[in-house]
Amino acid sequence: MLKSRQDLIDARNQAKAAMENEKFRILICAGTGCLAGGSAKIYDKMCQLVKDAGLDVNVEFGAGVAHGANGECPSHENADKAGGVKKSGCHGFCEMGPLVRIEPYNFLYIKVKEEDCEEIFNTTILKGEPVERLLYEMDGVKYKAQEDIPFYAKQTRLVLKNCGHIDSEHLNEYLAVGGYSALEKALFDMTPDEIINEIYESDLRGRGGGGFQTGYKWKQVARQEEKIRYVVCNGDEGDPGAFMDRSVMEGDPHKMIEGMIIAGYAVGAQEGYIYVRAEYPLAISRLKIAIAQAEEAGLLGDDILGTGYSFKLHINRGAGAFVCGEGSALTASIEGERGMPRTKPPRTVEQGLFAKPTVLNNVETYANVPMIITNGAQWYKGIGTEGSPGTKAFAVTGSINNTGLIEVPMGTTLREIVYEIGGGIKNGKDFKAVQIGGPSGGCLIGNHLDVPLDFDSLKKMGAMIGSGGLVIMDEDTCMVEVARFFMNFTQNESCGKCIPCREGTKRMLEILEDIVAGRGTMEQLDMLQELGEAITDTALCGLGKSAALPVLSTLKLFRDEYVEHVVDKKCRTGNCQALRTYKIDPEKCKGCSKCARNCPVSAISGEIRSPYTIDSSKCIKCGACESDCPFGAITIE
């Protein structure tokens, strides 16, 4: 139990010394993606190899001294061989997982399998040499050090700095890299008002999507007459393809917790709630571990570090409702009510959780707080743009070579992300668009590649950063189908409280389904526009107001594709099955009759050893003929 500032300093120094004394560190990615790829088996195998070799290995940490695999401190006799096998959080380079990092060499091994472990151990741990075949290679260059790989070299990892570099399940690892030094400074060297002013001066804007000024929100809560106040963390993260907050909770939970404690002290709150969707079981597990460790160490609970300040944290699991990402719906869900937004005012800062003043920010926002307190507002404002300082984490998915989790300064262009960090479009295809901000966002196209990605620049273009999901699309993507997909998601997730969202999204989805099925009309395109604008203007909550953005942005940027679907009954990409036309190339057809024999509606006819033909009036577009043809003679137009 840490009972004073000096106790915390001593624990941090002890943890740092223990980490520095490790002669090797094997950091195995234990984020959700790599675990799905088998990294747990890699971890077990590495631990066994180290044990069999008689090396002293640190695998368990408490709040104080590091301990070995047998529960004892590493022996001095084996100090030259002491090392650590760690379960780290997400390294970010998800396309190349499972990932293993070896320190002090900083080697990053990609697509590691259990059977690779012996070679890694014998070559790198015992000899200090890289396993060349497991290194990342690009344009004929093999990259030994992780930091030199273009994917990482172009990033500025601050929030994600520890992810992949420390064991996410042990407090000592966080202390060793300076953990809770910001809390120490806040509690012993600053007043609550000074903390709030520092956050306000930094111009930190909420990373959950709205971009609201965090310090101003804290000021509003602190000045309320009601003295019972709450700090709430939104870890719901419902956007398809987004996993930024999940990766922080899995890979560096103490950073977020430290930010929440500082926020609580600043606004006079003694309780905090972390709202996490139940589909994030690993994040919930690691948060529980981190909270228990912080309580045991005296960093959470009563009389923190002997200051007299008390703060307790609770975890609430959400059922996966997208609308619970909205502030008032989220607090209603924590209270045990149905997660539905309410009219405002009063706002959350006045009457939030349990009708008390509430600070509500997302995971990434709280994870920025310790850095600002430690380094100061001016340091933070030196990163990013004037109106959007700091960095932003993005989950990059879709048709891009390097999918994964990245962090870049605000104002970084889409071109830098797609072509420098992301390695370009898959299979040499042309870039077509990116859906940014999930269902609440909009599309950006080639003309926007050099526009800075920050709150204000994107707002001018009718898009938004949202929580940070980037879905990259190539030339083979049907933008009408993309709009239908997101509208289907939004309509399913509508809470149904207000008519514009409940009924409007349903009508829009019906129209989009007509269009992709070849039943669309030009009048329906006008109706889509009118409905989208009406929902945006009249929906109750922010999620409803942004529900139509994917449709409105694609209507604006890709109207020719909509017209093509409606007038020509054609989908140029072939993604809309009802608009496909199957034809047999007589030059390639060998007359084997396989397609005719497998056609469920007898739409194909011909004679053996002569080219067959397809009757389009009978064809039901099932695609069986194309998949069955051994000669590639059937094409889609």
Side-chain angles (χ1 to χ4, degrees):
M1 176 72 74
L2 308 176
K3 298 182 179 180
S4 67
R5 183 178 196 174
Q6 190 58 49
D7 283 351
L8 176 59
I9 293 172
D10 291 344
R12 191 183 299 118
N13 290 336
Q14 188 178 23
K16 183 178 180 181
M19 181 179 284
E20 290 175 346
N21 285 336
E22 291 180 326
K23 300 305 178 182
F24 65 85
R25 287 168 60 82
I26 306 173
L27 292 150
I28 298 161
C29 178
T32 294
C34 283
L35 282 174
S39 65
K41 293 181 179 179
I42 295 170
Y43 174 82
D44 292 339
K45 182 67 173 178
M46 280 294 186
C47 287
Q48 188 62 47
L49 287 169
V50 172
K51 181 180 178 181
D52 291 346
L55 302 186
D56 205 346
V57 56
N58 299 332
V59 293
E60 294 295 340
F61 284 81
V65 181
H67 291 82
N70 56 2
E72 300 176 356
C73 295
S75 61
H76 293 291
E77 302 84 55
N78 292 329
D80 61 325
K81 297 179 181 179
V85 182
K86 317 290 181 182
K87 289 181 182 177
S88 77
C90 176
H91 292 237
F93 208 178
C94 304
E95 181 77 17
M96 298 297 164
L99 297 161
V100 175
R101 175 183 168 93
I102 311 292
E103 296 177 352
Y105 316 107
N106 299 343
F107 296 156
L108 183 70
Y109 294 139
I110 64 172
K111 299 185 177 181
V112 179
K113 299 181 176 65
E114 185 181 359
E115 51 266 33
D116 297 323
C117 292
E118 267 192 69
E119 186 177 0
I120 293 173
F121 181 77
N122 292 328
T123 304
T124 303
I125 303 304
L126 297 183
K127 298 179 182 177
E129 299 172 1
V131 179
E132 296 282 342
R133 66 180 182 83
L134 295 176
L135 295 173
Y136 176 75
E137 183 176 352
M138 180 178 176
D139 297 329
V141 178
K142 285 186 180 290
Y143 293 89
K144 294 180 181 179
Q146 176 177 341
E147 293 74 16
D148 294 336
I149 297 172
F151 177 82
Y152 292 102
K154 301 288 184 179
Q155 297 185 47
T156 302
R157 296 173 75 87
L158 299 177
V159 168
L160 303 177
K161 182 179 181 180
N162 297 331
C163 291
H165 292 264
I166 64 172
D167 191 316
S168 55
E169 294 186 354
H170 298 102
L171 173 59
N172 247 40
E173 292 270 300
Y174 184 62
L175 292 176
V177 294
Y180 289 104
S181 57
L183 176 63
E184 175 196 333
K185 180 178 179 181
L187 291 177
F188 293 98
D189 298 335
M190 302 175 76
T191 66
D193 284 344
E194 287 173 337
I195 295 169
I196 293 174
N197 286 332
E198 197 72 38
I199 299 300
Y200 182 81
E201 288 299 319
S202 74
D203 203 16
L204 169 65
R205 299 175 66 170
R207 294 321 199 235
F212 194 79
Q213 224 271 19
T214 303
Y216 183 66
K217 187 182 290 188
W218 290 17
K219 278 188 175 184
Q220 288 179 300
V221 172
R223 71 187 182 200
Q224 299 299 316
E225 291 185 8
E226 172 60 62
K227 297 306 177 186
I228 298 177
R229 299 154 184 176
Y230 294 101
V231 172
V232 176
C233 178
N234 181 355
D236 189 60
E237 194 170 48
D239 289 2
F243 53 96
M244 300 75 57
D245 290 349
R246 186 194 76 195
S247 296
V248 174
M249 290 186 285
E250 291 177 358
D252 196 9
H254 284 286
K255 181 178 287 187
M256 180 197 80
I257 290 170
E258 184 176 7
M260 290 186 71
I261 301 171
I262 292 170
Y265 178 67
V267 304
Q270 295 194 326
E271 282 192 273
Y273 288 80
I274 305 171
Y275 188 85
V276 192
R277 55 180 41 231
E279 294 96 329
Y280 284 0
L282 183 61
I284 293 169
S285 171
R286 289 186 178 159
L287 282 171
K288 286 181 176 179
I289 292 170
I291 290 172
Q293 290 175 343
E295 288 174 342
E296 185 180 355
L299 297 166
L300 268 177
D302 297 326
D303 191 22
I304 296 174
L305 297 175
T307 60
Y309 174 63
S310 301
F311 187 77
K312 297 180 180 180
L313 269 181
H314 313 276
I315 297 175
N316 279 77
R317 289 181 294 176
F322 180 65
V323 73
C324 286
E326 194 274 341
S328 58
L330 185 152
T331 53
S333 182
I334 292 176
E335 292 167 3
E337 303 293 331
R338 182 178 176 186
M340 299 176 78
R342 57 170 170 76
T343 54
K344 306 173 189 67
R347 299 193 174 276
T348 304
V349 293
E350 300 158 342
Q351 293 184 31
L353 185 62
F354 304 120
K356 303 298 183 183
T358 302
V359 167
L360 175 57
N361 291 117
N362 84 321
V363 172
E364 188 179 349
T365 308
Y366 284 121
N368 272 282
V369 169
M371 295 184 292
I372 295 171
I373 296 301
T374 299
N375 300 305
Q378 293 308 310
W379 166 83
Y380 190 75
K381 292 177 77 170
I383 306 165
T385 65
E386 183 177 354
S388 301
T391 59
K392 181 72 189 81
F394 291 98
V396 185
T397 60
S399 184
I400 191 167
N401 285 314
N402 298 333
T403 59
L405 184 67
I406 69 169
E407 185 179 357
V408 293
M410 282 284 195
T412 300
T413 66
L414 188 58
R415 186 184 301 279
E416 291 174 274
I417 291 175
V418 172
Y419 290 99
E420 295 183 23
I421 297 173
I425 307 300
K426 279 185 177 179
N427 302 317
K429 299 281 187 177
D430 290 333
F431 170 84
K432 186 171 187 177
V434 57
Q435 177 71 19
I436 184 169
S440 303
C443 277
L444 302 177
I445 58 174
N447 293 341
H448 302 137
L449 280 170
D450 294 310
V451 171
L453 297 184
D454 59 63
F455 293 109
D456 301 325
S457 298
L458 289 180
K459 187 176 181 180
K460 292 176 184 176
M461 294 185 291
M464 62 188 295
I465 285 181
S467 60
L470 290 176
V471 182
I472 312 298
M473 293 168 277
D474 64 25
E475 59 193 271
D476 293 333
T477 305
C478 174
M479 302 309 298
V480 183
E481 170 56 26
V482 167
R484 189 210 63 80
F485 169 83
F486 280 109
M487 184 51 63
N488 180 63
F489 176 87
T490 304
Q491 202 280 320
N492 285 334
E493 294 292 339
S494 173
C495 75
K497 185 172 185 177
C498 73
I499 292 174
C501 184
R502 182 182 71 237
E503 299 298 327
T505 57
K506 187 175 182 180
R507 297 286 87 80
M508 289 184 75
L509 178 59
E510 289 172 350
I511 292 172
L512 288 165
E513 287 178 338
D514 277 347
I515 293 173
V516 299
R519 301 187 298 266
T521 66
M522 290 301 292
E523 291 75 16
Q524 285 181 314
L525 292 188
D526 296 333
M527 192 179 297
L528 267 182
Q529 186 75 34
E530 292 175 18
L531 281 169
E533 292 173 354
I535 294 170
T536 301
D537 291 339
T538 60
L540 173 62
C541 73
L543 297 181
K545 290 179 182 298
S546 60
L549 282 179
V551 179
L552 293 176
S553 66
T554 52
L555 267 174
K556 178 182 178 181
L557 300 170
F558 299 97
R559 190 174 181 84
D560 57 330
E561 286 196 35
Y562 279 89
V563 172
E564 191 177 69
H565 280 63
V566 169
V567 177
D568 300 331
K569 307 301 179 186
K570 180 181 178 181
C571 174
R572 67 181 66 174
T573 66
N575 284 293
C576 298
Q577 185 170 323
L579 300 181
R580 294 173 179 173
T581 300
Y582 289 88
K583 292 193 174 181
I584 298 177
D585 185 347
E587 298 294 324
K588 294 182 179 180
C589 181
K590 306 299 182 183
C592 70
S593 81
K594 188 174 182 180
C595 58
R597 285 183 278 116
N598 291 329
C599 180
V601 293
S602 301
I604 304 175
S605 60
E607 296 180 2
I608 295 293
R609 296 189 181 87
S610 296
Y612 277 64
T613 59
I614 299 175
D615 185 344
S616 296
S617 64
K618 294 181 180 179
C619 179
I620 60 171
K621 330 281 190 182
C622 69
C625 56
E626 182 198 18
S627 59
D628 288 339
C629 181
F631 307 107
I634 299 175
T635 58
I636 301 173
E637 295 183 358

